[in-house]
Amino acid sequence: METKLLILILNGLTQAAIFFVLGSGLTLAFGLMRVINLSHGAFYLLGGYIGYSVVHATGNWPLALIAGGLSIALLGFLFERTMLFRVRGGDLPETLLTIALSMIIADVSLAIWGGHPLTLNVPAYLNPRVTIFGITYPGFRYLLMGISVFIALSLWLILYQTKLGAAVRAGVDDRETVSALGVNIDAIYSLVFVLSALLVGIAGVLGGSYLQLSPGGDTTILTYSLVIIILGGMGSLLGTVVSSLILGQLLSFGLAYAPQYSYFLIFVPMAIVLAIRPQGLFGREL
Amino acid sequence: MSVVWKDLRRLVLGVVAGGLLILLPFYAGEYTVTTFVRIIYFGFLALSVGMLVGQAGMISLTQTAFFGLAGYVIGLLGAERGMPFPWRDLIAIAAVLVMALLFGLVAMRTHKIVFLMITLAFGQICWAFAQQNTSLLHGWAGIRGIRPPAIAGINFNRTSNFYWASLLIFALGILVLRLLARSSFGLALNGIRENPRRMAALGYPVYWIRVAAFLIAAIYAGIGGLLATYNTGIITPTTIQLSRTIWVLLMVILGGSTYFWGPVVGTAVAVWLDVLLSEGTERYNTVIGVIFVFVVLFLPGGILSISDSLRDGRGFPFWRRLYARKNSG
Amino acid sequence: MHASLVVTNLHAYYGKSHVLQGCNLTVEQGCVAVLGRNGMGKTTLLRSIMGLTPPRSGGIRWRDKEITGQKPFKIAGLGIGYVPQGRRLFPSLSVEEHLRLTYRHRGLAAAWTPQRVYDLFPELADRRQLSGTRLSGGEQQMLAIGRALVTNPCLILLDEPSEGLAPVAIERMVETCHELRKAGISLLLVEQNLHVAAALAERIYILVSGVTVYESAAETFLKNLELRQKYLGV
Amino acid sequence: MEKKMFKNLFVFLAVLIAANSDVRSAEKEIKVGFISAFTGVFSSFGQQQKEGAVLALEEANYTAGGDKITVIYEDDQLDNEQAVTKAKKLVVQDKIDILTGLVSGDEGLSVGDYMKDKNIPVIPMYSASEDMTMRAFYPMIVRATWTGAQSMDVFGYWLAKVKGWKKIYAIGEDYSYPYNQGGGFKRGFFRGGGEEVKTVWHPVGTTSDFSSIIASIPTDQGYNAVLYNGAGGDAVNFVKQYVELGMLQKIPLIGQSNTFEKPDVESMPADIVGSLSAHHTADDLATPAWTKFKEAYHKRWGHDPSAASEFAYSSMRLILRGIDRQKGDISDKPALVKAMTQVDMSDDPRGPVALDPKYHSAIENVYIREVAKDDKDQLYNKGLWTVKNVGQFGPYDPELYLKQPPDTGSYPPDTPSAFAPEMLKAASEYQYIPFGQ
Amino acid sequence: MATSLCKSFGGVHAVRSADLKVPLGERRALIGPNGAGKTTLFNLITGELAVDAGRIEIFGVDITHKTIQQRAKLGLGRTYQISQLFLNLTAEENLFLAAAAGRGMEFHFLRPWRARLKLIQWAHQCAEQVKLTSHLSKRVSELSHGLQRQLEVGLAIAMRPRLIMLDEPAAGLSPSERPVLTSLIKGLSREVTLILIEHDMEMVLDVADRITVLQHGSVLAEGIPAEIRSNRKVQDIYLGTIYARQLGSN
């Protein structure tokens, strides 16, 4: 039973890892641009699919990770530069545009990759069966946690230790003043959106390797992402870490002890937090 | 004089349009009638969303949940437990009101984009519950075999009868909403949309007015849900899934959220588009997505804004938009 | 590296209200002050120069280059520093980060670096890691000036720098401005506090309802009590 | 402004009405409505169905009984409300003569419910809800395919009786089709002497990480196998994680009929070779009918058929042959249905199929299969045993069977003791014949 | 009416211990340099900001912890430095909203607002008072800035307050537009108490019965206009202690 508990915690951490990669991109874009990117789920799916095609063609998983991430970053860049910037500042048009994009992406993906569930083959050297303290747990999941921690640290470093990060935070505080001081805030907007897209593209490849990709996955992923950032507080990196950890464990233990209601369960902390603190655990008042 | 003339013309137009609608089952095919029934029940849902978006400036993504809740209640009470009309229907509306009050009390503490996200989350909670609860709501399968009641010996299983009943309810719904929009409550809602801060300073209970608007909108969604469920005979979690919610929002924006008739026009176009597209192409989601992008970027006021800007001599909004872009760039 | 800002017949709107209704102004060397009562468009004038409120018509030339309608960051990049009204520091950034964020070397030998700013304002050096908004009013103003300074501008636009400051702090601020001028930086000052303007400016412009109605050497204006009464009510 | 809007609305309505006046074509054609999930979560099955049906139609050159066959495809995204709406559209606007398609059990029941009084034959293809041909049966339904329990009863009985297994841990998707599959399995397993089928349900499509469910499987309580009672994306996830967590070494994995179906099995790790399941098809059938079908299918679509595509092929052929039998005169719908039930389907690719005259359901072969690896390292389902002539009631007396409640998430119970004792006896015995004989 | 009010924002004391007592019917002006805390004090009284310490009372009722709405119901009306109007509604609708405020009209769901003749009449009267009668059916967004400022005052009087607080009513007005507003404010009923923040000294001297001067968040001086004009301390904050000498020597 001890083993079971440990595995459940490890599962929760794995879930948290993928949740964090998902949520961080969304929360980053929201923090600076106040854009709720509802095509986040579709980006995830597409990133995963592109990764799948790369693995299928080359057998090179790390290449797929990079390709999936970069292609979504490129898509994000194009979308931001050609459409999103035209409606900047309008909640409704921004939201609607991202919805529309997600419909198109999901449908085009269905046309290209079909409706069968696909999964990226992780090469054996990345997925050894690791046994620690008598618990056998897939090595890829440790890798996943590692990648997630790496991303979290990188984001923290970028945001809090670089000039770029300072510019981003200053832009969140007062975008007008920061631009009057010589910072090209529009370029930073694009950059943040691209970074957000890159992260979700990577999440797609990771998720497609650890789970699977199939039509309809986009809305599920979008819902998870929204719950993560609402719970943690929109725009807060720390909040995303904490809420990913909470939701990961909740989902893991929920599946073990009340599998029928596991999905419903993840909404419970969100509902409680919303009723008490509408801005989320670590969010700022908007 | 000209005012009288205008009123007369409006009256004539109204009577002719009304007449055409009432006589529809006599000159149009059954499927056309069925489609109009769909327009009516989705129209209720669109009015619900449109009232919140257009009149009160609140983008709510929970309305389909109320739509579904009403359907589930009549399914549970009517089809499964044999409760007669109108009790099950009244209880359904009451249930919608209770849920709207609960959600409203929480959601109205927030504004704008946070409100949008919270209502989105509420909608998802309802969907997740409906999908996962197998003991009461039968999960995925939902509830089947819901039939419209026979009232005064009229069989509402007949498409034309059901259509007339729906049309009557819809006309009443439109009338009430019209009165509401012109009432001091409607004006207060507009005031809140424009400037909640000033409304508070004038002494209006902004929070409660918003809650009341949310309740009224929920009733409209609920009525739509009743009609829809009677029409299809089943209620399932897919009725309240996210894509449906988004679809409804599209209808409202397509028609023009700030216009009274906007949601209705949008629904009519969208439902018909759905019918035509699903026949013509398997990729209709892409087509709808592209239309959506087009509307948001170039026709943000919706279909009804076309005639407005033509009348103002501003040209077709699409070209105006492009032109403005060129100039500023 | 000499400053030359020429504003001609500038019109700008704030929403629907026509705030600048034909504004003319020239800054060459030294310090120019724009005076006027509240709501006369002084702040909007600075915002228009910075590109934050793009003018509807009229021209802004900076070193013989048209900058009307440019993006704010480009204008800043051309060597105009900005100290906004009310300081507008970034709550999320520490003092150090404020200075590092806007620091631009421009290849100058005697560039203003964060270190030089600390030398100028030793009180900031002690509070490097503190959030900018947790400083006192005077320190906040120092930081706002320092933040503009490290962009190494030739001209700094100062919007009501004395606002909300204690007399001692105002004195300190005035001293600082004198030092900046010695370092060859021109100043365009918007003030309500006549004494700050008097202590700093060489030329004075008066703005009434968005129109420059008066221009002269500072002394001429300050000595003329009748004019002061007419335009400023003091 | 208002007047303008009103006018717009009016013009708009007029246009709509004009555009939709119903026109019936004069030339003689038979219209077949085809509702399935071509987009959304189940789109994979919808696609396979379409491929199978199109193959049958092309072989018949889109004619039957001398008439042209037109198929109208409608996508319902597996949304039951949409399914009914689309059925309505097909009936009322397109005036179809026959309705087919239908992937899921609930979809079948919903559409079936609507079609009840429409006097139009309904030929469900993959929808396996047993009630369609049992408790909710009406004479216009002809199902030449299967019910959820049909193959699973055979499978459960075999595991208990032949392999001697006593305890199974079943994890399934929480909706009606797995209920029926699980129900069939339990009946067969208990009848064969099984002692427990511990059942856990999880939500469909939204659970992506099953590892916690897997970690909760007790490895020390003597379970002989874990039955994964789900399909599609969930199955791929489950199986993958089951393998990765090293569970395969502890407890063998078995599946319901669709768990290891092609093409999903191709996304699963090769470690699962040997995992058992039962279905009405097997990928290595070597009968001439199957080989012919497989080759034609491969030629037309570039990949191998699955059960879903074979069922669609066979159902479409049933429709065409039924029309042939009536020589194209389909005005008498009950006669058409009767003709269909009399169609000779002994040459069906998956083996001979006959129709039960009372409930219009299929009597056919069940194959017990294991996952194997072919020479190209692709996984497939290799036949082990064949049981012939299995009907939807299995070995039970139909009246007795119908007296039992329908299968749900909580019925049948997990142990035989809480079970109707008469259900533990059978009217007939299955004959397990080695595959290929 | 307000005693020892304090408010600080992140370490900056915007208002520290300000006392203000305005008798019924008086017209009081608040002046002081930018950042002296005038608007903050204003927002404390109207309830847009919460009080850190101190007590506010109007017409004998303690309103320190009352909501904005409750204060409005007690008869407190205000205008804003930056117009807070309902831009996409007509001027008439704007005035009606203010006229109907606090009269329980907000939950009359079905009766058209136009049917409330008394309120309409009152709204029209207010429109006349702020000289907007000919613009009633225009959308506010189509009105000029000057007319919007007049409507801003119109909204405040339409809610029949007993105390009106005007926050820089002349902000952004051209000199030609100012007299209209000044006469309009002067023409208000004497039963209404008035508190006004304004920088336009001409207007202040013209309108106010008494003037309160704020500096650094506290009251520096208070008196009738003539007293204030000659008050040495007030001159100091305009002329300053440090630079007065310098200026004198210039």
Side-chain angles (χ1 to χ4, degrees):
Chain A
M1 277 300 101
E2 195 70 359
T3 324
K4 178 182 169 186
L5 206 65
L6 271 171
I7 290 192
L8 290 190
I9 291 170
L10 280 174
N11 287 340
L13 289 174
T14 315
Q15 289 274 8
I18 200 96
F19 281 170
F20 173 78
V21 183
L22 271 175
S24 59
L26 194 59
T27 212
L28 210 61
F30 180 81
L32 181 61
M33 305 161 78
R34 294 283 175 269
V35 168
I36 292 296
N37 180 9
L38 293 185
S39 50
H40 205 66
F43 279 5
Y44 167 93
L45 201 60
L46 185 62
Y49 276 139
I50 290 173
Y52 168 83
S53 289
V54 172
V55 165
H56 202 70
T58 68
N60 188 338
W61 190 87
L63 182 69
L65 186 68
I66 295 166
L70 286 184
S71 48
I72 299 305
L74 180 68
L75 175 71
F77 176 75
L78 293 176
F79 177 59
E80 205 274 337
R81 286 284 82 192
T82 58
M83 294 185 196
L84 205 52
F85 92 103
R86 285 167 188 261
V87 292
R88 179 157 298 147
D91 289 352
L92 189 59
E94 279 176 351
T95 314
L96 292 176
L97 262 189
T98 59
I99 290 176
L101 181 69
S102 78
M103 286 172 80
I104 298 173
I105 293 178
D107 203 45
V108 169
S109 301
L110 178 67
I112 299 176
W113 286 280
H116 315 302
L118 298 177
T119 177
L120 280 78
N121 285 321
V122 180
Y125 71 91
L126 286 175
N127 194 13
R129 216 156 284 166
V130 182
T131 307
I132 304 173
F133 304 124
I135 297 163
T136 307
Y137 203 65
F140 181 70
R141 293 181 169 219
Y142 287 114
L143 180 69
L144 203 64
M145 292 179 218
I147 291 176
S148 180
V149 171
F150 171 77
I151 288 175
L153 285 177
S154 314
L155 282 180
W156 182 83
L157 279 174
I158 292 173
L159 264 183
Y160 293 97
Q161 302 298 320
T162 66
K163 198 166 153 171
L164 172 69
V168 170
R169 281 180 292 138
V172 173
D173 287 341
D174 186 341
R175 66 172 80 152
E176 209 173 48
T177 304
V178 80
S179 77
L181 288 165
V183 175
N184 186 352
I185 195 74
D186 281 339
I188 288 183
Y189 269 14
S190 300
L191 198 68
V192 166
F193 197 78
V194 166
L195 183 61
S196 156
L198 175 76
L199 285 172
V200 72
I202 289 174
V205 177
L206 294 176
S209 308
Y210 139 72
L211 307 166
Q212 47 84 31
L213 303 159
S214 55
D218 50 341
T219 28
T220 314
I221 289 296
L222 175 65
T223 311
Y224 278 136
S225 316
L226 289 176
V227 171
I228 294 161
I229 75 165
I230 293 179
L231 178 63
M234 289 177 251
S236 162
L237 197 62
L238 180 64
T240 309
V241 172
V242 173
S243 69
S244 301
L245 288 171
I246 293 176
L247 291 175
Q249 296 302 342
L250 195 70
L251 200 60
S252 173
F253 280 83
L255 274 168
Y257 294 103
Q260 267 176 298
Y261 287 95
S262 55
Y263 185 61
F264 180 66
L265 265 181
I266 67 161
F267 293 104
V268 173
M270 184 188 72
I272 295 170
V273 166
L274 277 183
I276 301 164
R277 226 185 116 79
Q279 69 269 39
L281 290 175
F282 294 89
R284 275 201 231 166
E285 199 97 40
L286 290 173
Chain B
M1 189 58 207
S2 81
V3 174
V4 175
W5 174 232
K6 257 188 189 167
D7 275 355
L8 196 70
R9 229 170 42 173
R10 216 158 82 187
L11 189 72
V12 170
L13 274 171
V15 167
V16 172
L20 278 176
L21 280 174
I22 292 169
L23 298 177
L24 187 76
F26 296 113
Y27 62 86
E30 200 187 346
Y31 187 63
T32 308
V33 179
T34 318
T35 306
F36 269 86
V37 173
R38 286 192 90 197
I39 292 177
I40 288 172
Y41 62 72
F42 281 132
F44 265 111
L45 189 53
L47 283 175
S48 166
V49 175
M51 174 192 159
L52 289 177
V53 174
Q55 304 278 328
M58 303 187 270
I59 308 165
S60 164
L61 300 179
T62 307
Q63 303 316 105
T64 33
F66 301 129
F67 184 86
L69 176 68
Y72 269 111
V73 172
I74 54 165
L76 281 175
L77 297 179
E80 295 200 337
R81 285 170 188 73
M83 185 186 278
F85 175 86
W87 303 114
R88 56 183 186 212
D89 308 85
L90 292 176
I91 291 175
I93 297 297
V96 165
L97 279 175
V98 170
M99 191 164 90
L101 185 67
L102 287 177
F103 284 179
L105 291 180
V106 175
M108 292 311 158
R109 296 174 53 187
T110 62
H111 295 267
K112 296 196 136 186
I113 197 93
V114 183
F115 178 82
L116 183 146
M117 297 203 44
I118 283 179
T119 53
L120 178 73
F122 279 152
Q124 287 302 97
I125 292 178
C126 293
W127 173 72
F129 184 76
Q131 207 198 20
Q132 303 205 346
N133 181 292
T134 45
S135 52
L136 187 66
L137 307 179
H138 310 297
W140 246 35
I143 301 169
R144 266 188 304 278
I146 304 163
R147 295 274 177 266
I151 305 163
I154 303 168
N155 175 13
F156 287 102
N157 278 312
R158 265 192 62 185
T159 312
S160 50
N161 288 349
F162 191 78
Y163 167 72
W164 281 316
S166 306
L167 191 66
L168 179 68
I169 298 172
F170 195 51
L172 281 175
I174 293 265
L175 183 73
V176 169
L177 200 65
R178 192 86 184 131
L179 287 172
L180 207 66
R182 290 178 170 184
S183 70
S184 28
F185 176 75
L187 190 61
L189 265 187
N190 293 162
I192 290 170
R193 176 193 68 203
E194 295 293 319
N195 197 334
R197 187 174 163 204
R198 186 60 180 258
M199 285 301 276
L202 288 176
Y204 283 90
V206 172
Y207 176 81
W208 291 108
I209 294 177
R210 277 162 47 104
V211 170
F214 196 63
L215 290 180
I216 293 169
I219 293 179
Y220 273 77
I223 294 174
L226 289 180
L227 292 176
T229 312
Y230 279 134
N231 184 50
T232 55
I234 56 169
I235 178 79
T236 67
T238 44
T239 308
I240 58 177
Q241 71 192 5
L242 186 61
S243 56
R244 174 66 56 81
T245 307
I246 288 168
W247 170 242
V248 173
L249 197 59
L250 167 66
M251 291 176 183
V252 173
I253 305 302
L254 186 66
S257 63
T258 52
Y259 298 88
F260 183 81
W261 291 101
V264 181
V265 171
T267 311
V269 174
V271 168
W272 228 277
L273 213 59
D274 188 38
V275 171
L276 296 178
L277 284 177
S278 71
E279 254 170 65
T281 167
E282 239 170 63
R283 294 277 77 82
Y284 55 86
N285 274 324
T286 303
V287 179
I288 289 172
V290 170
I291 293 174
F292 213 162
V293 169
F294 176 85
V295 169
V296 174
L297 286 180
F298 302 115
L299 199 61
I303 292 171
L304 289 183
S305 71
I306 297 175
S307 80
D308 254 15
S309 38
L310 286 180
R311 185 200 49 194
D312 295 356
R314 283 177 291 171
F316 191 72
F318 169 55
W319 301 116
R320 202 170 75 235
R321 190 94 177 173
L322 276 187
Y323 186 66
R325 216 91 320 270
K326 234 198 276 175
N327 269 5
S328 72
Chain C
M1 273 299 189
H2 104 129
S4 137
L5 179 77
V6 182
V7 173
T8 40
N9 196 24
L10 205 63
H11 286 256
Y13 288 74
Y14 209 84
K16 287 261 168 185
S17 80
H18 190 175
V19 182
L20 293 184
Q21 316 184 358
C23 193
N24 295 291
L25 183 84
T26 305
V27 185
E28 289 288 347
Q29 285 284 319
C31 175
V32 170
V34 178
L35 304 179
R37 288 187 299 228
N38 251 34
M40 293 303 174
K42 303 187 298 292
T43 294
T44 311
L45 173 63
L46 294 196
R47 288 177 57 90
S48 284
I49 295 171
M50 268 334 280
L52 293 171
T53 306
R56 195 78 60 93
S57 68
I60 306 167
R61 292 181 76 77
W62 167 242
R63 290 174 171 171
D64 302 325
K65 232 181 104 186
E66 191 67 35
I67 58 165
T68 326
Q70 292 267 34
K71 292 243 168 84
F73 81 95
K74 287 226 166 108
I75 295 172
L78 291 170
I80 302 182
Y82 181 52
V83 179
Q85 188 177 18
R87 273 82 73 178
R88 291 175 78 166
L89 299 177
F90 308 115
S92 312
L93 265 53
S94 68
V95 170
E96 174 86 17
E97 283 173 330
H98 270 91
L99 298 177
R100 280 224 322 258
L101 171 62
T102 54
Y103 176 46
R104 268 177 178 239
H105 193 265
R106 291 181 200 281
L108 299 175
W112 284 93
T113 60
Q115 191 50 50
R116 265 185 82 191
V117 171
Y118 289 136
D119 293 344
L120 184 65
F121 308 121
E123 53 269 63
L124 290 184
D126 301 338
R127 290 171 164 69
R128 277 169 206 242
Q129 299 309 325
L130 225 59
S131 158
T133 43
R134 295 190 53 205
L135 304 174
S136 75
E139 288 162 354
Q140 288 196 6
Q141 191 64 60
M142 301 295 108
L143 182 55
I145 293 174
R147 179 175 73 171
L149 211 48
V150 290
T151 66
N152 284 296
C154 329
L155 169 69
I156 296 183
L157 313 184
L158 289 154
D159 198 348
E160 308 225 0
S162 69
E163 180 189 327
L165 293 191
V168 193
I170 295 181
E171 207 166 342
R172 180 72 209 282
M173 197 269 306
V174 170
E175 273 166 32
T176 306
C177 289
H178 277 300
E179 281 186 48
L180 297 185
R181 284 192 43 203
K182 267 184 234 149
I185 298 172
S186 306
L187 301 175
L188 174 57
L189 178 74
V190 155
E191 253 310 337
Q192 282 208 321
N193 188 325
L194 192 57
H195 324 301
V196 172
L200 283 171
E202 283 131 26
R203 282 197 81 72
I204 281 194
Y205 286 83
I206 304 285
L207 215 59
V208 172
S209 304
V211 186
T212 31
V213 291
Y214 177 87
E215 175 199 351
S216 77
E219 275 176 51
T220 326
F221 175 76
L222 293 169
K223 279 187 180 150
N224 190 332
L225 284 173
E226 197 184 315
L227 280 176
R228 281 165 56 182
Q229 180 61 40
K230 181 174 169 198
Y231 292 123
L232 306 179
V234 286
Chain D
M1 194 159 80
E2 237 157 62
K3 181 209 73 198
K4 201 97 186 177
M5 260 178 257
F6 218 59
K7 194 171 148 195
N8 284 338
L9 190 70
F10 174 69
V11 170
F12 176 74
L13 286 177
V15 170
L16 281 187
I17 290 161
N20 268 273
S21 38
D22 302 82
V23 186
R24 287 214 69 175
S25 61
E27 68 170 303
K28 182 132 161 66
E29 59 171 359
I30 296 172
K31 284 184 176 172
V32 178
F34 192 118
I35 299 180
S36 191
F38 300 118
T39 60
V41 196
F42 257 55
S43 50
S44 161
F45 284 109
Q47 208 53 45
Q48 293 167 42
Q49 281 193 333
K50 194 174 178 179
E51 289 173 358
V54 166
L55 186 64
L57 286 161
E58 286 176 352
E59 283 177 3
N61 208 14
Y62 282 96
T63 49
D67 292 329
K68 193 172 174 302
I69 307 288
T70 311
V71 184
I72 302 158
Y73 297 95
E74 286 291 346
D75 176 18
D76 64 12
Q77 301 163 41
L78 209 73
D79 173 343
N80 295 344
E81 192 255 303
Q82 279 278 339
V84 173
T85 307
K86 293 292 166 70
K88 218 173 229 189
K89 184 235 167 203
L90 289 169
V91 170
V92 172
Q93 165 147 306
D94 301 322
K95 311 237 183 305
I96 51 163
D97 302 296
I98 296 163
L99 181 76
T100 185
L102 306 177
V103 168
S104 86
D106 296 323
E107 184 192 27
L109 284 172
S110 310
V111 172
D113 188 46
Y114 166 75
M115 297 296 291
K116 216 170 198 160
D117 49 2
K118 300 293 180 292
N119 193 35
I120 293 172
V122 177
I123 290 80
M125 284 177 167
Y126 210 57
S127 180
S129 154
E130 66 174 19
D131 277 349
M132 279 196 89
T133 46
M134 286 189 195
R135 297 166 187 93
F137 173 75
Y138 57 88
M140 280 291 140
I141 290 180
V142 181
R143 178 161 60 186
T145 53
W146 65 331
T147 70
Q150 206 166 345
S151 52
M152 290 304 273
D153 191 273
V154 174
F155 189 40
Y157 184 74
W158 180 75
L159 288 175
K161 192 83 181 176
V162 180
K163 296 207 74 159
W165 287 359
K166 297 288 178 209
K167 288 174 78 181
I168 301 285
Y169 196 92
I171 297 169
E173 289 174 316
D174 198 0
Y175 75 103
S176 57
Y177 166 70
Y179 297 164
N180 200 201
Q181 285 250 312
F185 183 82
K186 280 178 174 171
R187 278 185 289 272
F189 192 68
F190 295 152
R191 194 162 41 81
E195 285 161 8
E196 189 198 352
V197 179
K198 166 87 183 142
T199 312
V200 173
W201 300 111
H202 70 79
V204 197
T206 47
T207 315
S208 33
D209 190 341
F210 292 92
S211 32
S212 291
I213 294 186
I214 295 169
S216 304
I217 302 169
T219 49
D220 52 356
Q221 292 178 15
Y223 285 106
N224 298 101
V226 169
L227 165 68
Y228 185 65
N229 189 0
D234 282 345
V236 172
N237 269 336
F238 185 91
V239 171
K240 213 173 147 185
Q241 289 162 19
Y242 194 82
V243 171
E244 283 180 353
L245 286 166
M247 283 294 287
L248 215 49
Q249 284 78 33
K250 295 175 186 154
I251 307 179
L253 178 69
I254 59 176
Q256 52 129 281
S257 299
N258 280 329
T259 307
F260 305 119
E261 265 307 286
K262 282 212 172 222
D264 299 348
V265 73
E266 290 163 10
S267 295
M268 294 177 183
D271 310 50
I272 58 160
V273 165
S275 295
L276 300 165
S277 66
H279 207 317
H280 303 286
T281 63
D283 296 323
D284 63 341
L285 264 179
T287 58
W290 177 261
T291 315
K292 188 175 152 239
F293 167 67
K294 192 172 169 178
E295 276 166 8
Y297 192 91
H298 203 284
K299 197 174 154 216
R300 179 67 178 83
W301 302 111
H303 53 91
D304 286 344
S306 62
S309 46
E310 199 279 342
F311 282 15
Y313 176 81
S314 135
S315 303
M316 188 51 83
R317 275 214 316 196
L318 174 79
I319 293 170
L320 297 171
R321 289 178 179 186
I323 298 169
D324 275 338
R325 261 184 102 94
Q326 293 299 92
K327 308 207 162 44
D329 177 17
I330 54 157
S331 48
D332 183 354
K333 293 295 186 322
L336 175 64
V337 167
K338 187 142 191 264
M340 284 190 201
T341 57
Q342 289 164 351
V343 162
D344 173 26
M345 291 177 75
S346 57
D347 62 339
D348 206 76
R350 67 174 186 270
V353 178
L355 285 169
D356 163 9
K358 189 167 180 200
Y359 290 103
H360 302 175
S361 69
I363 300 166
E364 59 191 319
N365 289 352
V366 171
Y367 305 104
I368 294 174
R369 328 167 300 175
E370 67 175 9
V371 177
K373 206 192 269 184
D374 66 12
D375 45 9
K376 281 180 237 137
D377 272 355
Q378 288 277 28
L379 296 182
Y380 73 103
N381 290 291
K382 179 171 177 287
L384 295 177
W385 301 93
T386 308
V387 177
K388 291 191 170 164
N389 299 327
V390 180
Q392 63 171 348
F393 297 107
Y396 308 99
D397 172 48
E399 267 179 49
L400 172 67
Y401 193 95
L402 285 174
K403 255 188 237 157
Q404 310 304 316
D407 294 342
T408 65
S410 49
Y411 183 87
D414 287 359
T415 53
S417 54
F419 209 35
E422 61 269 31
M423 285 298 286
L424 295 174
K425 295 189 282 284
S428 62
E429 275 289 317
Y430 292 134
Q431 299 291 320
Y432 293 92
I433 307 162
F435 184 75
Q437 287 180 19
Chain E
M1 279 196 268
T3 41
S4 307
L5 284 180
C6 294
K7 179 73 193 175
S8 58
F9 302 103
V12 181
H13 294 279
V15 171
R16 51 183 116 199
S17 192
D19 291 276
L20 189 67
K21 211 175 207 98
V22 184
L24 284 181
E26 192 183 279
R27 290 175 180 177
R28 174 72 61 92
L30 282 178
I31 63 167
N34 259 11
K38 300 184 299 282
T39 298
T40 307
L41 178 62
F42 218 76
N43 285 333
L44 290 176
I45 299 174
T46 54
E48 298 226 352
L49 293 173
V51 174
D52 288 348
R55 203 178 119 80
I56 312 169
E57 203 179 272
I58 53 173
F59 316 116
V61 183
D62 182 355
I63 58 162
T64 319
H65 300 293
K66 290 219 186 309
T67 63
I68 299 176
Q69 284 97 329
Q70 287 167 326
R71 294 177 206 223
K73 290 224 162 99
L74 282 169
L76 195 156
R78 69 166 296 182
T79 70
Y80 291 81
Q81 192 175 349
I82 295 165
S83 298
Q84 298 287 332
L85 299 165
F86 309 110
L87 288 178
N88 283 311
L89 303 184
T90 64
E92 186 186 25
E93 287 167 332
N94 270 264
L95 286 168
F96 181 86
L97 275 175
R103 274 167 186 69
M105 298 301 129
E106 58 268 23
F107 289 114
H108 279 245
F109 290 108
L110 295 180
R111 199 161 157 206
W113 61 271
R114 279 175 195 279
R116 313 225 152 245
L117 291 176
K118 272 202 174 150
L119 287 174
I120 294 271
Q121 265 173 13
W122 169 242
H124 286 194
Q125 268 176 38
C126 295
E128 210 178 299
Q129 226 178 332
V130 295
K131 305 186 172 57
L132 281 175
T133 308
S134 54
H135 303 285
L136 272 176
S137 59
K138 278 191 194 153
R139 279 188 186 206
V140 174
S141 56
E142 289 160 12
L143 297 182
S144 74
H145 181 65
L147 293 174
Q148 288 190 8
R149 295 308 289 170
Q150 281 160 246
L151 183 59
E152 184 72 33
V153 178
L155 283 193
I157 58 175
M159 60 187 284
R160 302 177 212 248
R162 289 191 284 166
L163 166 65
I164 299 189
M165 314 226 358
L166 302 169
D167 192 355
E168 297 197 28
L173 288 187
S174 66
S176 60
E177 289 167 320
R178 281 166 196 253
V180 181
L181 194 75
T182 310
S183 72
L184 185 158
I185 292 172
K186 281 179 79 177
L188 292 181
S189 158
R190 266 290 171 184
E191 283 164 26
V192 180
T193 314
L194 202 96
I195 301 177
L196 159 95
I197 295 183
E198 187 50 67
H199 284 280
D200 183 344
M201 285 307 285
E202 276 170 53
M203 185 167 171
V204 167
L205 295 174
D206 200 6
V207 170
D209 299 332
R210 288 173 74 82
I211 298 175
T212 300
V213 187
L214 282 179
Q215 195 199 12
H216 299 311
S218 6
V219 176
L220 183 79
E222 197 179 301
I224 59 167
E227 281 168 11
I228 294 297
R229 283 186 89 159
S230 58
N231 186 317
R232 176 75 202 167
K233 272 199 287 181
V234 177
Q235 283 185 358
D236 279 352
I237 66 156
Y238 276 97
L239 302 175
T241 43
I242 310 150
Y243 301 105
R245 249 172 302 122
Q246 201 180 340
L247 197 63
S249 66
N250 267 347

